[in-house]
Amino acid sequence: MKKFNIRKVLDGLTAASSSSSSSSAAAQPGTPRENDAVQETLQSEHFQLCKTVRHGFPYQPSSMAFDPVQKILAVGTQTGALRLFGRAGVECYCQHESGAAVIQLQFLINEGALVSALADDSIHLWNLRQKIPAILHSLKFNRERITYCHLPFQSKWLYIGTERGNIHIVNVESFTLSGYVIMWNKAIELSTKTHPGPVVHISDNPMDEGKLLIGFECGVVVLWDLKSKKADYRYTYDEAIHSVAWHHEGKQFVCSHSDGTLTTWNIRAPAKPGQIITPHGKQPKDGKKPEPCKPILKVEYKTTRAGDPFMVLSGGLSYDTVGRRACLTVMHGKSTAVLEMDYPIVDFLTLCETPYPNDFQEPYAVVVLLEKDLVVIDLGQIGYPIFENPYPLTVHESPVTCCEYFADCPAELIPALYSVGSRQKRQGYSKKEWPISGGNWGQGTQSYPEIIITGHADGSIKFWDASALMLQVLYKLKTAKVFERARGKEEKSGADIVEEDPFAIQTLSWCPESRMLCVAGVSAHVIVYRFSKQEVTSEVVQLLEVRMQCDFGDVDSPDPGGEQTPTLPVPGASSSPQEVEPPTLLSTGSNSSDGPRDNIPCLQVRSSPLKQSPGYQVELVIQLVWVSGEPPQQITSLAINSSYGLVVFGNSNGLAVVDYLQKTLLLNMGTLELYSPSEPYQRQPCSPRKTRQPSGALCDSVDGSNASEDRCKSPTSDAKDVSFTRSRSSSVTSIERESREVISSFHFCESFPRKTDTMVSPCLLVGTTQGSVMMVAVSLPPGGDQRMQQPVGVSSCGTLVRLKGGILTMALLDSTATLLPPSYEPWYDTNASDEEKERSRKRRPASPPSSHEGHDPQFAVLCSDKQAKVVAMPSQTRIYKHNITETSFVLRADVVQMAGANCIACFCANGHIMTLSLPSLRPLLDVNYLPLTDMRIARTFCFSNLGQALYLTSPTEVQRITYSQETCDNLQEMLSELFTPVETPEAPNRGFFKGLFGGGAQSLDREDLFGETAAGKASRSLAQHIPGPGGMEGMKGAASGVVGDLARARIALDERGQKLGELEERTAGMMASAESFSKHAHDMMLKYKDKKWYQL
């Protein structure tokens, strides 16, 4: 986890990346020439930056639409984003340039197109027949504000209602306005004395396309005859209208009102409603009107062939239900079901078997869009269970506090995590298939396993399968189970360091090969986990308490016993109000009634037995304790090595090395003590350091009487010079706080601890926020039983090198510039039988011990927030140096594998993404990717191997990007397809009697009414047409090329053929009728030919 300074971030935003940074390839004196022999294969043409896919729940959703034939769902947001969902793994993200809120969406059903209406009074036509949708046309209204849109099924004429109460008509093929306008004053005439307000509803009569139902906000509804251009009926109610829904036979409709009532109207009886009901109103006994309720924001009326109709509505609850969660009400026959939702309802849609509005609807599900979730309810099962959601929409279930990305993992990892995660699934879901099932998966060639790990504010950790541009949760680990939970404020004691989310994950270290996991939380705690397929019950949780201190006796305190509570910015708190708030640090003065707090951890480890399910199981809990009234400092860096059995963590006081096999503390050293006395880089301490207290003790967490549960806030990361201000005692001055040297980075390796060494041995590289890189030697006992009995030796070897800026990442290369990963122990199940353990447990050998004769066999790669250096080992000679940026600073840097070679990938505070070759540090890529950097992106940005990277672009969404040219080239193939050719269902049969007596649906030739010949041209100043990127011609290549054109031509021909077929049928019918008449007439003539008139 990196630490960020607000002032530096703001400075960095406006700064330009130093593309002309100096790169020194000149060998230092005494450097052997053999270093020049390294052949670098990576070139600039291997790199290109582009976005790949966005996962998670659409942030701040505002509207929704569904294509019932294609079975695709579209969601619009308040920031102008558009997210499209099909079957699991089929999702797409696009963005309106203006960033205005999407107020309504309308599919051109089964046409592969979508109309979006925005809050800036523009409408856009999206082409969904290509993998990356694009806008074909836009229309910007200048004089009127758009409030409602309606596009009838299989029509090309879009009705647009405005704030002034007028209705305009747009041809969606050409995106031009028709001259036909329905003016508000003509629609209402004298039915009301005042302006009726904005148009809140438009729909055509399901049985007569020539009749348009217009709802005005004030409560007036008008049935407009499009041909005669006048109102047939006007329906008036004294409460504002929110929505209107038709019965499929077109004889009645339902309105929802602001007083919680539903009115049902017969179209030929406009005088009063046929029925008025208040679904949630209390019915008074004296027959008076029920008490008013909250507004019913939306109602849908859906019929079934075999039973009662469904009426689905949102809102309308009684005013005395204060604090009750949002509800969706389903009324079916005499039963009324009230379904509580976890978040407020944004919109809902009832999914039906038919796209035709004039047929029995047969509803089967309701899609409910909530502020932070998407729920689909099964209407076909008793109790209305919900469907299991296949999309990765729970990224934000608890705010994300840290993130790591692992590409090209061991192949068996994903199945192993899935098998233990599948047991965690909830029960009680609908047994039916997920109904949003459109689209097809991409045909990507990338098949390597990818895993994303997210740490959350509630202490949970989620493992996600991110292979092939998809995202699916594999397994969830709850770290808070290790601790006792505070039941209320009265139980809180004073050991707190921050107020909320005491279990929030600060940083994590994971070894994919050994499956060992180590996490650090904001309450200065570290937990080591092992992976096991067996369930176990731990009678006692193994606990190690560590006392890390740094005394400041000579520093003048401005207020020694003060009650200052500085509020500090933290990674969990971005500029967005939805994020976790900054922590309020509590007073740490030593004037409490029971004296200064000492040897108290921030959280109390549970004393009862802990049942651990298959998956990650606690091996050891390490807690930092209060020291003489000083709170423990939050952990800023962390690393675990399964081969050595060690975990190391550091903060602003120093570092500690723990043997998690023997459960002992090996080293507890202040940062200053890492420097040798003769070191040129040694800092002068702010005050003399007192003798360290005993460093740690292993104890069983049975008696937790002196420990206290504490509340803390979202994580404050303390690591780098680019970091947030750290959580500190109020008695330390801000000047001193800035000058503290913090441990910022670790790297386990097998190298040469000292210049004089000729053989590699286990080492630990330690980086600090002031640019120092120190070497710590590790001496391991032999394996087997001796490893558990003999102590591990750890000793500081002094400084290796110093860089400008805080150290971000370190790595080791061999003489051919191949990455030397830390050694690891292959995974084995500690709870399995002894035979299985012996078979699988074998320490992976590190690189073969090498002696160096005449040249340096290793390169140490070191990167800070300002520069990168490559140092030859063991001579410790600087070979290459590159100043990455002068005016900004690097937020994240990783040494990654790419196209069979290695490079350094950097993300700068000014938005630049850069890559540098290894070992020569040549700049290969420099792209200004993000125009702004907020704290969430800075906290979650991470690179991975094979050109992959990601960050949290909003509190609920993960954006994945690639910096690989190969991935960019293959992106079209890898992306999923939204549109698939599907036959439109047949129109409902009109029936013999309806055909005979004219009771079926009446069609309307809208072209005759709205076309330029009949309606004339619209006013040019009303709206401005903006062609999309190149119009339809520009889309041909990006869409499906000739195939798309042929498909469009075929559809046009089908439509034309259908119309010709209908005409032919009518002509044939008329001919048959004429022939029949002629035959009857001839028979009559023959019958009466020779008869006299009086014989008739």
Side-chain angles (χ1 to χ4, degrees):
M1 285 285 291
K2 281 156 289 303
K3 162 183 163 241
F4 306 102
N5 182 303
I6 295 279
R7 175 175 50 77
K8 289 189 173 183
V9 170
L10 294 174
D11 291 345
L13 297 181
T14 52
S17 171
S18 174
S19 53
S20 58
S21 334
S22 64
S23 181
S24 165
Q28 300 300 302
T31 303
R33 291 180 177 272
E34 282 85 352
N35 289 317
D36 300 335
V38 176
Q39 293 295 314
E40 293 184 2
T41 55
L42 282 181
Q43 303 299 329
S44 295
E45 51 266 26
H46 288 108
F47 296 89
Q48 185 184 341
L49 197 70
C50 68
K51 291 181 180 180
T52 53
V53 69
R54 183 173 291 201
H55 303 294
F57 182 76
Y59 184 54
Q60 296 179 327
S62 55
S63 57
M64 177 171 63
F66 182 70
D67 186 325
V69 180
Q70 286 288 320
K71 299 207 181 307
I72 294 286
L73 182 78
V75 176
T77 74
Q78 292 178 28
T79 54
L82 203 55
R83 293 285 297 279
L84 296 132
F85 298 94
R87 67 178 64 190
V90 174
E91 52 182 306
C92 179
Y93 158 78
C94 23
Q95 176 73 41
H96 293 91
E97 275 186 29
S98 68
V102 181
I103 57 173
Q104 206 174 342
L105 294 168
Q106 291 266 304
F107 273 102
L108 278 69
I109 293 171
N110 205 25
E111 295 285 341
L114 176 74
V115 173
S116 58
L118 306 192
D120 65 355
D121 309 308
S122 61
I123 57 171
H124 307 269
L125 178 66
W126 289 86
N127 177 14
L128 307 182
R129 290 175 177 249
Q130 55 196 78
K131 291 194 171 183
I132 302 174
I135 292 175
L136 294 175
H137 299 283
S138 298
L139 198 63
K140 179 83 166 67
F141 280 74
N142 299 321
R143 298 199 307 240
E144 299 205 48
R145 312 234 39 200
I146 298 171
T147 56
Y148 196 87
C149 299
H150 171 62
L151 180 66
F153 179 45
Q154 294 182 323
S155 165
K156 68 174 183 180
W157 298 97
L158 173 73
Y159 300 104
I160 294 180
T162 69
E163 200 171 48
R164 290 186 185 177
N166 304 323
I167 291 177
H168 301 278
I169 299 163
V170 173
N171 182 325
V172 290
E173 287 179 354
S174 60
F175 246 51
T176 52
L177 272 170
S178 164
Y180 192 114
V181 182
I182 304 171
M183 303 301 288
W184 69 270
N185 51 354
K186 194 158 182 202
I188 64 160
E189 285 188 347
L190 301 174
S191 59
T192 59
K193 295 177 182 177
T194 56
H195 189 279
V199 174
V200 294
H201 179 83
I202 308 169
S203 60
D204 45 348
N205 186 320
M207 285 295 181
D208 189 351
E209 295 174 350
K211 308 289 193 219
L212 198 66
L213 196 70
I214 306 161
F216 295 95
E217 190 181 63
C218 71
V220 174
V221 178
V222 175
L223 188 64
W224 181 263
D225 188 312
L226 289 165
K227 286 182 183 173
S228 63
K229 300 185 182 179
K230 62 179 181 145
D232 280 356
Y233 300 102
R234 296 183 182 88
Y235 315 85
T236 307
Y237 192 70
D238 54 3
E239 290 292 339
I241 289 175
H242 284 276
S243 73
V244 183
W246 278 102
H247 185 282
H248 84 273
E249 289 178 348
K251 293 176 183 174
Q252 61 181 32
F253 60 89
V254 178
C255 300
S256 73
H257 298 278
S258 57
D259 64 345
T261 57
L262 293 173
T263 55
T264 304
W265 300 81
N266 294 318
I267 60 167
R268 297 185 188 279
K272 63 172 189 175
Q275 186 186 34
I276 303 174
I277 59 168
T278 311
H280 296 286
K282 292 176 181 174
Q283 300 293 336
K285 291 177 182 176
D286 53 8
K288 291 182 181 177
K289 281 180 70 176
E291 290 177 11
C293 293
K294 294 175 185 174
I296 295 176
L297 301 174
K298 184 174 182 179
V299 63
E300 290 202 342
Y301 190 14
K302 303 297 180 185
T303 53
T304 59
R305 209 171 246 102
D308 295 310
F310 281 88
M311 206 173 277
V312 186
L313 53 109
S314 63
L317 293 179
S318 171
Y319 278 103
D320 60 11
T321 55
V322 179
R324 188 173 179 182
R325 293 190 293 186
C327 293
L328 187 83
T329 306
V330 181
M331 299 166 69
H332 183 225
K334 292 181 181 177
S335 75
T336 299
V338 180
L339 309 174
E340 276 202 354
M341 301 290 153
D342 289 337
Y343 305 101
I345 296 171
V346 175
D347 195 3
F348 74 87
L349 292 169
T350 310
L351 308 190
C352 300
E353 296 290 354
T354 177
Y356 293 93
N358 59 352
D359 194 8
F360 285 99
Q361 299 299 287
E362 304 296 346
Y364 59 90
V366 182
V367 181
V368 190
L369 179 64
L370 307 175
E371 280 187 2
K372 293 186 178 180
D373 202 0
L374 182 76
V375 175
V376 182
I377 297 159
D378 185 355
L379 291 179
Q381 282 183 247
I382 297 166
Y384 304 131
I386 63 169
F387 288 87
E388 185 176 5
N389 198 319
Y391 308 136
L393 301 184
T394 58
V395 171
H396 64 290
E397 194 174 25
S398 172
V400 176
T401 53
C402 73
C403 193
E404 293 296 336
Y405 190 5
F406 300 86
D408 206 13
C409 301
E412 68 279 0
L413 255 181
I414 289 175
L417 287 165
Y418 181 80
S419 68
V420 294
S422 59
R423 306 179 198 193
Q424 301 176 327
K425 288 192 176 177
R426 274 180 50 188
Q427 302 301 314
Y429 288 114
S430 167
K431 301 199 168 36
K432 295 180 188 170
E433 292 290 319
W434 180 251
I436 304 162
S437 55
N440 283 320
W441 295 329
Q443 303 298 314
T445 52
Q446 288 182 327
S447 56
Y448 49 83
E450 298 173 74
I451 290 177
I452 294 169
I453 305 179
T454 52
H456 300 263
D458 64 355
S460 62
I461 293 172
K462 288 182 183 173
F463 291 77
W464 305 82
D465 177 5
S467 312
L469 294 188
M470 294 191 189
L471 194 70
Q472 181 186 14
V473 70
L474 291 169
Y475 172 71
K476 180 178 177 180
L477 171 65
K478 295 179 179 176
T479 64
K481 284 184 176 180
V482 176
F483 301 102
E484 302 282 3
R485 283 186 177 272
R487 290 179 179 81
K489 289 186 179 178
E490 68 279 357
E491 291 195 23
K492 289 173 63 177
S493 70
D496 324 37
I497 50 174
V498 279
E499 275 190 341
E500 287 180 15
D501 301 325
F503 312 112
I505 305 300
Q506 182 112 359
T507 183
L508 58 88
S509 174
W510 187 52
C511 174
E513 289 80 12
S514 67
R515 304 184 192 174
M516 290 298 297
L517 173 68
C518 188
V519 300
V522 289
S523 295
H525 63 275
V526 173
I527 311 175
V528 180
Y529 287 94
R530 275 189 191 277
F531 186 85
S532 173
K533 293 180 179 178
Q534 317 290 324
E535 183 178 293
V536 294
T537 300
S538 307
E539 292 300 322
V540 172
V541 174
Q542 296 289 300
L543 172 64
L544 186 68
E545 291 186 348
V546 177
R547 185 181 173 93
M548 293 179 78
Q549 68 182 69
C550 188
D551 295 312
F552 299 92
D554 295 350
V555 177
D556 291 326
S557 168
D559 184 8
E563 292 291 325
Q564 295 166 263
T565 55
T567 301
L568 305 177
V570 294
S574 80
S575 53
S576 163
Q578 277 76 12
E579 296 268 2
V580 186
E581 305 242 339
T584 305
L585 301 189
L586 304 180
S587 165
T588 57
S590 58
N591 55 352
S592 57
S593 56
D594 54 350
R597 298 183 191 93
D598 198 42
N599 281 334
I600 301 173
C602 298
L603 298 173
Q604 182 179 346
V605 173
R606 64 184 289 161
S607 51
S608 55
L610 176 64
K611 182 182 175 184
Q612 305 202 70
S613 304
Y616 275 101
Q617 298 170 352
V618 180
E619 172 86 358
L620 177 65
V621 177
I622 305 162
Q623 286 185 290
L624 300 188
V625 295
W626 285 67
V627 178
S628 307
E630 283 283 329
Q633 298 304 297
Q634 289 180 344
I635 289 155
T636 57
S637 50
L638 180 70
I640 190 167
N641 186 283
S642 58
S643 181
Y644 309 155
L646 301 181
V647 61
V648 59
F649 54 91
N651 60 13
S652 56
N653 285 345
L655 67 85
V657 181
V658 171
D659 181 342
Y660 66 77
L661 298 176
Q662 295 186 25
K663 315 289 189 294
T664 55
L665 180 68
L666 302 175
L667 182 72
N668 182 4
M669 186 177 277
T671 314
L672 299 172
E673 294 174 315
L674 287 168
Y675 295 96
S676 302
S678 58
E679 287 291 340
Y681 303 137
Q682 186 176 6
R683 314 282 186 285
Q684 291 303 313
C686 302
S687 63
R689 183 179 173 85
K690 295 177 185 175
T691 310
R692 265 185 297 117
Q693 300 292 326
S695 51
L698 177 65
C699 60
D700 294 335
S701 62
V702 179
D703 179 16
S705 55
N706 66 337
S708 59
E709 312 94 70
D710 116 347
R711 306 284 298 159
C712 68
K713 196 82 177 165
S714 194
T716 34
S717 168
D718 222 41
K720 319 287 188 280
D721 192 28
V722 300
S723 185
F724 298 103
T725 315
R726 68 187 156 275
S727 171
R728 289 279 294 123
S729 162
S730 58
S731 63
V732 181
T733 66
S734 58
I735 297 170
E736 185 276 320
R737 190 184 297 128
E738 276 296 311
S739 66
R740 296 277 307 267
E741 186 167 19
V742 181
I743 303 293
S744 60
S745 182
F746 291 119
H747 183 69
F748 281 106
C749 57
E750 307 240 343
S751 187
F752 304 92
R754 300 167 188 83
K755 284 186 182 182
T756 53
D757 288 342
T758 56
M759 302 286 283
V760 296
S761 61
C763 301
L764 172 67
L765 288 170
V766 181
T768 73
T769 52
Q770 295 195 9
S772 294
V773 178
M774 276 86 80
M775 186 74 89
V776 174
V778 179
S779 171
L780 293 171
D785 293 338
Q786 293 183 64
R787 172 64 183 86
M788 298 302 294
Q789 292 162 3
Q790 296 182 23
V792 177
V794 183
S795 58
S796 172
C797 300
T799 306
L800 172 66
V801 70
R802 176 137 186 249
L803 280 73
K804 187 165 67 174
I807 303 299
L808 297 179
T809 192
M810 301 175 284
L812 213 62
L813 308 177
D814 68 9
S815 55
T816 62
T818 304
L819 193 66
L820 294 171
S823 59
Y824 60 82
E825 183 178 68
W827 175 76
Y828 69 96
D829 198 333
T830 49
N831 300 323
S833 65
D834 291 339
E835 285 181 20
E836 287 180 36
K837 283 187 198 178
E838 286 306 316
R839 204 177 313 124
S840 60
R841 187 175 183 179
K842 185 183 176 186
R843 183 183 166 211
R844 173 191 172 277
S847 49
S850 56
S851 59
H852 63 102
E853 297 173 9
H855 67 90
D856 290 308
Q858 288 183 349
F859 298 116
V861 179
L862 314 159
C863 185
S864 76
D865 56 33
K866 289 288 187 183
Q867 64 180 195
K869 284 185 181 179
V870 174
V871 174
M873 299 293 286
S875 69
Q876 301 183 6
T877 312
R878 191 194 83 199
I879 306 295
Y880 299 103
K881 182 181 83 169
H882 177 77
N883 292 326
I884 299 168
T885 176
E886 297 289 350
T887 52
S888 184
F889 55 93
V890 180
L891 292 167
R892 175 81 185 215
D894 289 291
V895 175
V896 291
Q897 291 177 311
M898 169 90 176
N902 303 295
C903 63
I904 301 177
C906 305
F907 172 52
C908 262
N910 59 14
H912 282 248
I913 289 178
M914 301 176 233
T915 59
L916 305 172
S917 72
L918 286 175
S920 69
L921 303 178
R922 284 180 299 114
L924 297 170
L925 174 77
D926 186 351
V927 176
N928 189 1
Y929 172 67
L930 285 172
L932 289 173
T933 303
D934 66 24
M935 293 306 171
R936 186 192 323 102
I937 295 172
R939 189 181 71 250
T940 57
F941 199 104
C942 48
F943 294 99
S944 190
N945 292 329
L946 306 172
Q948 309 300 323
L950 66 81
Y951 58 92
L952 245 72
T953 185
S954 76
T956 63
E957 295 168 292
V958 173
Q959 178 67 57
R960 290 166 70 179
I961 61 174
T962 183
Y963 49 96
S964 157
Q965 177 70 56
E966 184 186 0
T967 307
C968 290
D969 291 344
N970 297 328
L971 189 58
Q972 278 289 333
E973 286 178 27
M974 295 162 66
L975 292 174
S976 50
E977 285 181 294
L978 290 168
F979 180 79
T980 49
V982 180
E983 289 293 327
T984 302
E986 284 187 20
N989 192 348
R990 291 172 63 189
F992 174 73
F993 289 106
K994 284 187 178 177
L996 192 64
F997 298 111
Q1002 302 295 311
S1003 60
L1004 170 77
D1005 192 341
R1006 295 186 179 93
E1007 188 68 46
D1008 283 353
L1009 282 177
F1010 307 144
E1012 199 174 305
T1013 2
K1017 287 187 178 178
S1019 164
R1020 284 189 180 181
S1021 60
L1022 181 62
Q1024 175 192 359
H1025 176 256
I1026 306 159
M1032 195 58 172
E1033 287 69 33
M1035 288 296 130
K1036 283 178 185 173
S1040 4
V1042 179
V1043 179
D1045 291 338
L1046 286 172
R1048 280 188 286 277
R1050 184 182 63 76
I1051 288 165
L1053 282 170
D1054 283 352
E1055 288 170 355
R1056 189 175 169 198
Q1058 189 179 345
K1059 286 176 184 170
L1060 286 170
E1062 286 170 4
L1063 185 62
E1064 195 177 338
E1065 281 171 20
R1066 262 182 268 158
T1067 311
M1070 286 170 71
M1071 284 173 68
S1073 175
E1075 199 171 305
S1076 171
F1077 179 81
S1078 167
K1079 185 172 177 294
H1080 281 295
H1082 184 68
D1083 290 345
M1084 290 283 287
M1085 183 267 294
L1086 291 174
K1087 186 177 179 181
Y1088 298 110
K1089 182 179 175 186
D1090 300 318
K1091 291 188 179 183
K1092 305 294 183 187
W1093 63 271
Y1094 53 84
Q1095 294 174 315
L1096 296 174

